[in-house]
Amino acid sequence: MSATGSGMAPCRFAHYFVICGIDTETGLEPDELAALYQWLEADRHGRSQDAANAGENFEQSPLRRTFKSKVLAHFPETVEWNPFDQDAVNMLCMPKGLSFRTQVDNREPQFHSYLITREDGSRTYGFVLTFYEEVTSKQICTAMQTLYQMHHAEHSGSVCASSSCSMDSLASSMDEGDATSLNKLHCCSSYDMSRDTLYVSKALCLITPLPFMQACRKFLTQLHRAVSSQQPPPLPLESYIHNILYEVPLPPPGRSLKFHGVYEPIVCQRPSPSELPLADYSLKQVFELLGVENLVQVFTCILLEMQILLYSQDYQRLMTVAEGITTLLFPFQWQHVYVPILPASLLHFLDAPVPYLMGLQSKEGTDRSKLELPQEANLCFVDIDNHFIELPEDFPQFPNKLEFIQEISAVLLQFGIPPEGSLHCSKSATQLKSLALHDLVNDKKNGNLPGDALAVFELLQGNATVERLQALAKRTGVTVGRVQTLGGSTVKEKDGRLQCEEEELRDATLNVQVREVFANRFSHMFADYEAFVIQSAMDLESWLTNREQMHNFDKASFLSDQPEPYLPFLSHFIETQMFATFIDNKIMSQWEDKEPLLRVFDSRIEKMRLYNVRIPNLRSSNYQKSTILKESAQSIEQRLMKIDHTAIHPHLLDMKIGQGKYEQGFFPKLQADVLAAGPTNNKWASRTGTAQRRKDRLRQHSEHLGLDNDLREKYMQEARSLGKNLRQPKLSDLSPAVIAQTNWKFVEGLLKECRMKTKRMLVEKMGHEAVELGHGEANITGLEENTLIASLCDLMERIWSHGLQVKQGKSALWSHLLQYQEREEKLEQTAVSPGTSRTKLYKRYAFLRCEEEKEQFLYHLLTLNTVDYFCFTSVFTTIMIPYRAVIIPIKKLSNAITTSNPWVGVSGELGDSGVMQIPKNVLEITFDCQNLGKLTTAQIGHDNSGLLAKWLVDCVMVRNEITGHTYKFPCGRWLGKGVDDGSLERILIGELLMPCADEDLSKQCRTPPLQRSPTQTRRLSITSLAGRNNKPNAGQIQEAIGEAVNNIVKHFHKPEKERGSLTILLCGENGLVSALEQFFHHGFKSSRIFQKNVFVWDFIEKAVAYFEMTDQIGDTEEETESFRSMYKVFCHYVNAINVTPRNIGKDGKFQLLVCLGARDHLLPQWIPLLVECPLITRMYEECALLRDHLTVNPLIRVLQTIHEFNITLESSLVKGITL
């Protein structure tokens, strides 16, 4: 390789020209990759690999077998920026290997493209034209004849083999496009070298750094046309190949370039740095193949990083759909395995437990059900040819999906494309027709001008002098028939070329307008993303070193600012690797140049703010259409209509005489010496200055290769989900040892992902529970909790599907549970070895058969037992759940068992269990009930019968037997007449206990939870046994009331799904009832000598009696009507509570009055009534807060702040109350 060739590489249009085909020296060789695939299939089905390797495959006709292709030549030898990977290029140029045809078969040339993603994330694009060339080697024809005779002997008497092996079902069919029944018949035709002409496939390939698909297709088509034409091309083919390799530069950003093919000029353009990046694949074809609805669904799956498998007979369709959809991701980029064309030898990669986007070629007539895919629960299957997609079972919809589809459809309709797609318009038939017309126009046998004459005629066409001569000749009767005929045909040819250019312009315009619609959605959805980026590191090195431990994005705050309909999608999307990489790039931009996509995106957001496009409030979900469609289309039109640069014309090279001889239908053997290196005298190739080379390198790597920093490589490999080694299958070495190594990397990656996920779930959940104890701010919401659990479920599904052999349904995990259940049932009947089932279910490299990694995985899962999640409880709201309730009495002060008939009832956010009688002499009950959700209250009571009816209850414990959540309902009060406040029923407020490892329920019940700080085993009433000597001072009481009201206000300012239980804020520890109870007990004369204690409820009842008596007698002083109505309402509420059939005691009645007053916004009206009641002087000391106007007035103002909220009480609190 010359120094010139390597130095020019970054700014060259094409890096390599490659020819693949049959090596006539080695002859016919079975494809090693096909043999490897058979080995893998044998391993998959548990057969012997030796059996798979033994013998030839005689079931297929030799014309349909896979034979080894070879890279016959490539120029130049290598390029510094893009080393030549011969195995990968050969495999992707001819994924099916060599294909043979006879004269009766369809031999139309086929075009497809591919890409190779290297380990550093950089991409190289390949564009391939495959055509058929006559086999002139007698040795190969004889070998084919022999193979056919062996095949015929094996299947004598059969017209076509009816059976097909698994290789047939997944590998490709040689027939592409619309195959007729005649072609299908010829698929199994015989071969006789005496009467048949044998043809073999040959591939011409251009490898480029950028996806200039249209330009490369035109160049290769013209090359093939030169080979198949009767007349030789104007110059030897080496001149055109040398020109495109060494003399055609990359168009500068924001410019267009014209270079010359064999017959016609070719134009390509490149967007400027401020525009959307280059995308040359036709989105028109993508929408025609899928339709708008299907495309948006697949697009959503890609955004959520699911596994996407494209399925089509046509390689180019696979590539077009894959590249088309990924270009719509701007400003994000797909970060995982990306193989738009998956060769048969890499089918084991479908077993990869990572997100991927792959394309698999289908065989004509193959049913979808015959595809045995390892995992389908999280798979999006896209059958391109049949206009059908199979989506994962449950995934969120894209925000504003309906309006989004309508906007895309409006753009498509402007270009005459039906939004539902046009699958039934046979594309291959249209291509065939246009190709035939094109050949007819350019066929010199039909009277068309040769190249030089055509140039002269175009020069004279439209000349005024020629027109006057024609008019004069007509008047004198002279005919000029030849000129008229030639002119007519030339005009047609020119019109055809213009029509082709116009169609290309329309496709480019459609591409950019559709992409603008998608980009506009992200611009509005993430217009304020910068405000939530957390930039905590001082320098790049420290940030990269600690990347894994850092929180780079405030997800909770971001989600709280989003419209409610967006949350299901956004909560999942911000957990993806592509979003994490986007944020990483944003943080790194403070130390180095911005990543190109990020730079364009940020400039668009800045422009939106400048023009005040985003006026609506943050939480508005109003849909806003793109306003720059015409502007973006004009940039493309200007570049294509006005060419900025023209490359050097192809010219004669210094070639040896007698070589490069033209022979119709055969691609010549090119002279390697003239194509090995380029010239050194053209302007753009001589830019060897240090600054210019550095600029080219940076632009090349930043715009199109993605990663250019050694330090970044070192640390980001750990930060990425599974490391770069798993992003892309390596095509150059596919030995069983390499495949085993790849699977081992998958196992390591799954274990690492499990460690990271469980660690994050623990940290964030424990942080949330710290908030509940009064520390810091919450950093996890209910929505985030669901997202974290869903992410863990996805990981577990991938672990259980890795290496799975036997499937039952879509979910591999569920399949395993069914197998386990079946195995356990058999174990009860017969003795079965415990390891047998897993060995049969999974391949030997599966994650679940790696004992050490499996143990670590289980350890990480067990760490989640230290926190509680409520996804199951919140989602499965209608299922029946077994509950277990245990009553814990205080045995030192009362009887352990009561002689009365106790009962218990449990209520939660989703419903209540009703009253359940507890058998006598039993402290425990188990019951089944429809999911109650998070438990909030428990009611306990008895009928006061028997000699030992009085009962001192410490608490009630209730456990959800499915989720394991245990709730403690503190009581610490008596139940019975003539003791405490005389209550026979108490409403208890629950608190969730943290899990205690290795302890049963009874042990949990005896010991208060250690994590409470300070430790409080139950809510202490002022009048309870332990509460009499624990009275707070005035300042503490006022602070407690303010805190209780503030918690209620914050509750209603949260999103509805994140609010939790209002009952706990009203009646729980430090709730509003507790705070007001302390206020009313301050200075209260409750103790009496030789008399029963007096309760606050006694004061309230006496106040009601006073108001009612005053109302009957009539007061001498005139009372205002409003005051009279207020105390009438107050009396009505108190009397309604007193006549309720429930025996809830005096403290329970006070609690109920406060709850009803808060619900109906009456508390600020009732407190002045009690303050003005004359009885207050007899029942309260002078220092009491209730007698101090300086404390009562602030209390009233504080209580008025909750008037704006609609408070709903649980049915367990207001049961039996009629107002």
Side-chain angles (χ1 to χ4, degrees), residues 130-268:
T130 305
F131 66 99
Y132 288 89
E133 197 174 68
E134 183 180 343
V135 178
T136 56
S137 169
K138 190 174 181 180
Q139 178 187 358
I140 293 176
C141 293
T142 304
M144 183 61 68
Q145 172 94 29
T146 305
L147 287 173
Y148 174 73
Q149 290 172 351
M150 296 170 68
H151 164 73
H152 182 69
E154 186 79 14
H155 293 275
S156 58
S158 63
V159 179
C160 179
S162 58
S163 64
S164 62
C165 63
S166 59
M167 182 67 185
D168 293 331
S169 64
L170 285 176
S172 62
S173 163
M174 298 307 169
D175 296 310
E176 299 185 10
D178 295 337
T180 62
S181 58
L182 181 62
N183 287 336
K184 292 178 183 177
L185 182 62
H186 286 314
C187 281
C188 297
S189 62
S190 62
Y191 171 68
D192 185 347
M193 61 183 297
S194 62
R195 59 177 171 83
D196 293 325
T197 304
L198 188 64
Y199 296 87
V200 67
S201 56
K202 179 172 278 190
L204 307 178
C205 174
L206 269 181
I207 295 179
T208 65
L210 296 183
F212 291 111
M213 194 268 291
Q214 300 291 351
C216 292
R217 183 172 194 158
K218 289 180 179 179
F219 179 82
L220 293 173
T221 302
Q222 292 186 42
L223 267 188
H224 174 258
R225 181 178 152 200
V227 171
S228 57
S229 174
Q230 293 183 351
Q231 297 296 327
L235 295 171
L237 294 185
E238 285 88 345
S239 297
Y240 303 102
I241 296 169
H242 182 275
N243 178 252
I244 199 169
L245 284 179
Y246 302 110
E247 298 173 333
V248 176
L250 279 175
R255 303 290 182 178
S256 56
L257 171 75
K258 181 171 77 172
F259 64 94
H260 294 268
V262 181
Y263 299 106
E264 298 170 0
I266 300 169
V267 176
C268 60

Side-chain angles (χ1 to χ4, degrees), residues 802-1052:
H802 184 232
L804 180 64
Q805 293 189 129
V806 182
K807 288 196 63 181
Q808 294 180 358
K810 281 192 172 183
S811 171
L813 180 54
W814 189 250
S815 169
H816 186 88
L817 291 174
L818 293 176
Q819 294 280 346
Y820 177 80
Q821 183 182 27
E822 181 181 347
R823 172 175 165 272
E824 289 297 307
E825 291 172 355
K826 288 182 179 179
L827 278 174
E828 294 177 0
Q829 303 171 2
T830 59
V832 181
S833 174
T836 322
S837 176
R838 193 170 68 246
T839 306
K840 291 181 179 178
L841 275 174
Y842 289 91
K843 302 172 187 175
R844 59 178 175 273
Y845 61 76
F847 183 94
L848 294 179
R849 291 183 64 180
C850 301
E851 296 299 327
E852 184 178 343
E853 285 70 23
K854 186 178 64 177
E855 289 297 324
Q856 294 182 49
F857 165 67
L858 293 175
Y859 169 78
H860 292 310
L861 286 186
L862 287 173
T863 61
L864 297 178
N865 288 344
T866 57
V867 292
D868 284 292
Y869 283 87
F870 295 93
C871 286
F872 183 89
T873 309
S874 304
V875 174
F876 299 97
T877 57
T878 59
I879 67 169
M880 299 297 291
I881 291 182
Y883 292 93
R884 179 183 173 200
V886 179
I887 300 170
I888 311 295
I890 300 179
K891 298 178 182 179
K892 293 181 180 179
L893 301 177
S894 76
N895 305 309
I897 301 294
T898 179
T899 58
S900 59
N901 299 302
W903 57 267
V904 69
V906 182
S907 300
E909 293 178 349
L910 301 177
D912 66 86
S913 65
V915 173
M916 296 171 294
Q917 293 293 332
I918 301 175
K920 285 189 176 182
N921 302 323
V922 174
L923 295 175
E924 184 177 323
I925 183 175
T926 301
F927 60 95
D928 289 338
C929 182
Q930 184 170 310
N931 187 1
L932 302 176
K934 293 181 183 178
L935 302 186
T936 52
T937 62
Q939 306 93 52
I940 184 174
H942 61 72
D943 60 1
N944 204 46
S945 62
L947 296 175
L948 301 174
K950 298 175 184 178
W951 202 16
L952 182 58
V953 177
D954 179 70
C955 64
V956 176
M957 309 288 292
V958 181
R959 174 185 169 90
N960 182 322
E961 296 286 63
I962 290 183
T963 64
H965 292 149
T966 302
Y967 296 82
K968 182 177 182 179
F969 298 87
C971 179
R973 304 291 295 272
W974 286 92
L975 289 170
K977 291 290 185 182
V979 64
D980 207 337
D981 63 345
S983 173
L984 296 180
E985 172 186 348
R986 295 206 182 274
I987 301 173
L988 311 178
I989 309 303
E991 60 182 30
L992 179 69
L993 288 184
M994 296 295 290
C996 301
D998 302 325
E999 290 186 6
D1000 57 20
L1001 182 59
S1002 61
K1003 289 183 180 180
Q1004 288 183 26
C1005 298
R1006 294 194 191 104
T1007 308
L1010 298 178
Q1011 75 281 359
R1012 291 289 176 179
S1013 177
T1015 301
Q1016 291 177 319
T1017 57
R1018 54 187 174 272
R1019 185 176 77 81
L1020 300 175
S1021 172
I1022 296 298
T1023 53
S1024 67
L1025 296 174
R1028 293 173 182 170
N1029 299 321
N1030 190 25
K1031 296 181 180 180
N1033 57 39
Q1036 292 172 330
I1037 293 173
Q1038 289 174 304
E1039 183 180 349
I1041 292 174
E1043 186 67 25
V1045 173
N1046 188 38
N1047 287 336
I1048 294 175
V1049 173
K1050 289 197 293 186
H1051 169 86
F1052 284 101

Side-chain angles (χ1 to χ4, degrees), residues 1 94 99 130 238 261 323 422 493 578 615 727 730 739 748 801 831 838 854 908 916 976 999 1071 1082 1113 1120 1128 1205:
M1 181 196 70
M94 307 191 84
S99 173
T130 305
E238 285 88 345
E323 280 291 289
S422 54
E493 184 177 358
M578 71 173 71
I615 293 298
R727 285 200 194 171
K730 194 172 182 179
I739 293 173
E748 290 180 330
S801 63
R838 193 170 68 246
K854 186 178 64 177
M916 296 171 294
E999 290 186 6
H1082 187 265
I1113 297 176
T1120 62
K1128 281 186 176 181
F1205 306 118

Side-chain angles (χ1 to χ4, degrees), residues 400 403 521 563-566 616-624:
N400 295 115
E403 296 92 336
R521 290 310 307 133
E564 184 76 18
Y566 290 13
N617 294 329
L618 284 175
R619 297 186 60 80
S620 170
S621 60
N622 294 333
Y623 187 86
Q624 293 176 285

Side-chain angles (χ1 to χ4, degrees), residues 720-736:
R720 305 298 187 200
S721 60
L722 292 178
K724 299 185 187 334
N725 291 332
L726 299 185
R727 285 200 194 171
Q728 200 67 18
K730 194 172 182 179
L731 305 183
S732 55
D733 186 0
L734 290 171
S735 63

Side-chain angles (χ1 to χ4, degrees), residues 639-855:
R639 283 197 293 270
L640 289 178
M641 299 299 290
K642 183 182 178 182
I643 306 302
D644 297 305
H645 303 282
T646 302
I648 300 172
H649 283 245
H651 51 84
L652 280 173
L653 302 174
D654 184 14
M655 296 173 58
K656 296 177 182 178
I657 301 175
Q659 292 195 9
K661 184 179 178 183
Y662 173 77
E663 187 176 355
Q664 184 183 0
F666 294 91
F667 196 84
K669 184 176 181 180
L670 302 175
Q671 291 192 30
D673 53 343
V674 297
L675 294 178
T680 57
N681 58 351
N682 61 63
K683 289 186 296 183
W684 65 270
S686 62
R687 295 181 300 175
T688 55
T690 305
Q692 185 63 47
R693 283 206 306 272
R694 186 183 302 115
K695 183 177 179 182
D696 285 338
R697 183 186 303 117
L698 287 175
R699 183 171 67 241
Q700 176 74 9
H701 273 244
S702 62
E703 288 188 29
H704 309 293
L705 302 185
L707 299 173
D708 58 351
N709 189 304
D710 292 337
L711 187 63
R712 181 181 178 187
E713 285 289 327
K714 175 183 175 183
Y715 294 112
M716 293 302 279
Q717 183 169 1
E718 289 297 319
R720 305 298 187 200
S721 60
L722 292 178
K724 299 185 187 334
N725 291 332
L726 299 185
R727 285 200 194 171
Q728 200 67 18
K730 194 172 182 179
L731 305 183
S732 55
D733 186 0
L734 290 171
S735 63
V738 171
I739 293 173
Q741 184 182 5
T742 302
N743 282 307
W744 180 249
K745 289 180 180 179
F746 283 144
V747 170
E748 290 180 330
L750 286 170
L751 186 61
K752 178 182 177 183
E753 189 177 354
C754 178
R755 183 179 73 249
M756 294 175 66
K757 284 186 185 295
T758 51
K759 178 181 177 181
R760 182 187 167 194
M761 292 170 71
L762 279 173
V763 170
E764 297 202 3
K765 189 65 179 178
M766 291 171 74
H768 180 62
E769 289 171 352
V771 171
E772 293 178 346
L773 297 175
H775 308 292
E777 290 292 330
N779 61 350
I780 183 171
T781 63
L783 188 65
E784 280 187 293
E785 178 179 312
N786 289 348
T787 304
L788 289 174
I789 292 292
S791 177
L792 179 65
C793 291
D794 170 54
L795 171 64
M796 294 181 68
E797 178 66 34
R798 287 189 277 122
I799 286 175
W800 257 262
S801 63
H802 184 232
L804 180 64
Q805 293 189 129
V806 182
K807 288 196 63 181
Q808 294 180 358
K810 281 192 172 183
S811 171
L813 180 54
W814 189 250
S815 169
H816 186 88
L817 291 174
L818 293 176
Q819 294 280 346
Y820 177 80
Q821 183 182 27
E822 181 181 347
R823 172 175 165 272
E824 289 297 307
E825 291 172 355
K826 288 182 179 179
L827 278 174
E828 294 177 0
Q829 303 171 2
T830 59
V832 181
S833 174
T836 322
S837 176
R838 193 170 68 246
T839 306
K840 291 181 179 178
L841 275 174
Y842 289 91
K843 302 172 187 175
R844 59 178 175 273
Y845 61 76
F847 183 94
L848 294 179
R849 291 183 64 180
C850 301
E851 296 299 327
E852 184 178 343
E853 285 70 23
K854 186 178 64 177
E855 289 297 324

